[in-house]
Amino acid sequence: MSSGKFRRGTLVTVATTAPSHQLDAPPRSQIAEEIRLRLADAWGQMGAAWGVAPAIARVHAYLMTRMEPLTEREVREALGLSHRAASLALAEAEEWGLIERVAEPRRVGSRGPAGTAYRAVGDHWEWFGRVISERKLREGDPVVAVLERTLKEANDAIALTPDDQELVELRNWLSAFLVFVRLFDRAVGLVPQLEPRTLERGLLLLSRVPDDTVLRLFGLLDAVDDDDVLALVESLSRLSPTNARRALALFGGALRTLRR
């Protein structure tokens, strides 16, 4: 666009340019962008296996690898999504706890209030815990409810036909399977309750323990009474950090003595 100004009787044309986000944005690496998009596509394909729609997983991966807030339009254009598809994916990703809304970063030359932008939750352990929690609500809890209802139906039927051996066998299988699902569901449900740093440290420590050591510890459970194990765990959990360190030092010394 141009505008005219008079200077000493002469019309001088002065070029003016409207503010542009493209001009304000930092230069982008085309190679890095191609890698991001390939990862987003692969992440989307894997998303179905995790119970997450491909579009949501693609948006999550792209925002993670961009490492900065992006508007809906920027996400839409980068991933080749329609306005509706991008809006739905962003809303769903936010509901899963994968991304969060922030104020759009102010651009040079922009006017008016800042719009809405989205960025990935930067702490991987935090969004992982949120995904586990959401999947438990959407999948784990309903499965437990279905099995409980089915088991009740089987028990009610047995009360009317106690001689039906096939029905009794089905009831026994349902009961055992429900115990298994409840154990798994409880273990999964503990993950979101842990602080991200605590979960990270626990898994890092576990990664430093050799597989043979872990397997030996599980093997020892067969030789120890359940009540003794539960009492020990309960006692340890109630110690103060100072006393816990002292107990571990004493316990370590006792173990070294026993191994001689």
Side-chain angles (χ1 to χ4, degrees), residues 136 139-152 155 174-190:
K136 183 181 183 302
E139 301 169 32
D141 293 351
V143 168
V144 171
V146 167
L147 289 174
E148 288 175 340
R149 184 173 66 248
T150 307
L151 179 60
K152 182 179 183 304
N155 282 324
L174 286 168
S175 180
F177 188 54
L178 180 58
V179 170
F180 163 76
V181 173
R182 279 174 172 164
L183 288 172
F184 183 80
D185 187 63
R186 181 174 184 272
V188 170
L190 290 173

Side-chain angles (χ1 to χ4, degrees), residues 169-205:
E169 292 176 357
L170 175 60
R171 186 273 312 275
N172 293 342
W173 182 89
L174 286 168
S175 180
F177 188 54
L178 180 58
V179 170
F180 163 76
V181 173
R182 279 174 172 164
L183 288 172
F184 183 80
D185 187 63
R186 181 174 184 272
V188 170
L190 290 173
V191 173
Q193 299 182 51
L194 294 170
E195 290 294 328
R197 297 286 70 78
T198 302
L199 176 61
E200 179 183 17
R201 182 166 185 264
L203 293 179
L204 284 173
L205 287 172

Side-chain angles (χ1 to χ4, degrees), residues 22-204:
Q22 296 294 330
L23 294 177
D24 302 331
R28 308 218 63 86
S29 165
Q30 184 62 34
I31 297 176
E33 185 69 0
E34 290 173 358
I35 292 174
R36 272 192 290 263
L37 292 175
R38 284 198 295 270
L39 175 62
D41 289 340
W43 207 253
Q45 293 173 5
M46 292 185 290
W50 306 330
V52 180
I56 300 171
R58 289 183 70 213
V59 165
H60 180 220
Y62 187 72
L63 283 172
M64 280 197 299
T65 53
R66 279 295 294 266
M67 297 173 283
E68 62 179 333
L70 298 177
T71 64
E72 179 272 336
R73 177 179 178 180
E74 289 170 321
V75 173
R76 166 168 39 100
E77 293 179 350
L79 297 178
L81 299 172
S82 67
H83 172 67
R84 175 176 172 77
S87 297
L88 289 175
L90 286 166
E92 191 73 7
E94 185 180 14
E95 184 177 336
W96 273 88
L98 302 173
I99 66 174
E100 54 193 5
R101 294 190 188 208
V102 295
E104 180 184 5
R106 299 305 297 265
R107 311 297 178 99
V108 177
S110 63
R111 297 179 179 178
T116 300
Y118 301 85
R119 69 180 176 196
V121 174
D123 189 327
H124 301 318
W125 296 102
E126 183 176 347
W127 68 254
F128 174 74
R130 292 179 182 179
V131 169
I132 295 296
S133 177
E134 192 67 23
R135 289 200 63 176
K136 183 181 183 302
L137 289 174
R138 298 183 183 212
E139 301 169 32
D141 293 351
V143 168
V144 171
V146 167
L147 289 174
E148 288 175 340
R149 184 173 66 248
T150 307
L151 179 60
K152 182 179 183 304
E153 292 174 358
N155 282 324
D156 291 344
I158 289 174
L160 298 175
T161 56
D163 296 332
D164 190 331
Q165 187 58 36
E166 184 176 347
L167 187 57
V168 172
E169 292 176 357
L170 175 60
R171 186 273 312 275
N172 293 342
W173 182 89
L174 286 168
S175 180
F177 188 54
L178 180 58
V179 170
F180 163 76
V181 173
R182 279 174 172 164
L183 288 172
F184 183 80
D185 187 63
R186 181 174 184 272
V188 170
L190 290 173
V191 173
Q193 299 182 51
L194 294 170
E195 290 294 328
R197 297 286 70 78
T198 302
L199 176 61
E200 179 183 17
R201 182 166 185 264
L203 293 179
L204 284 173

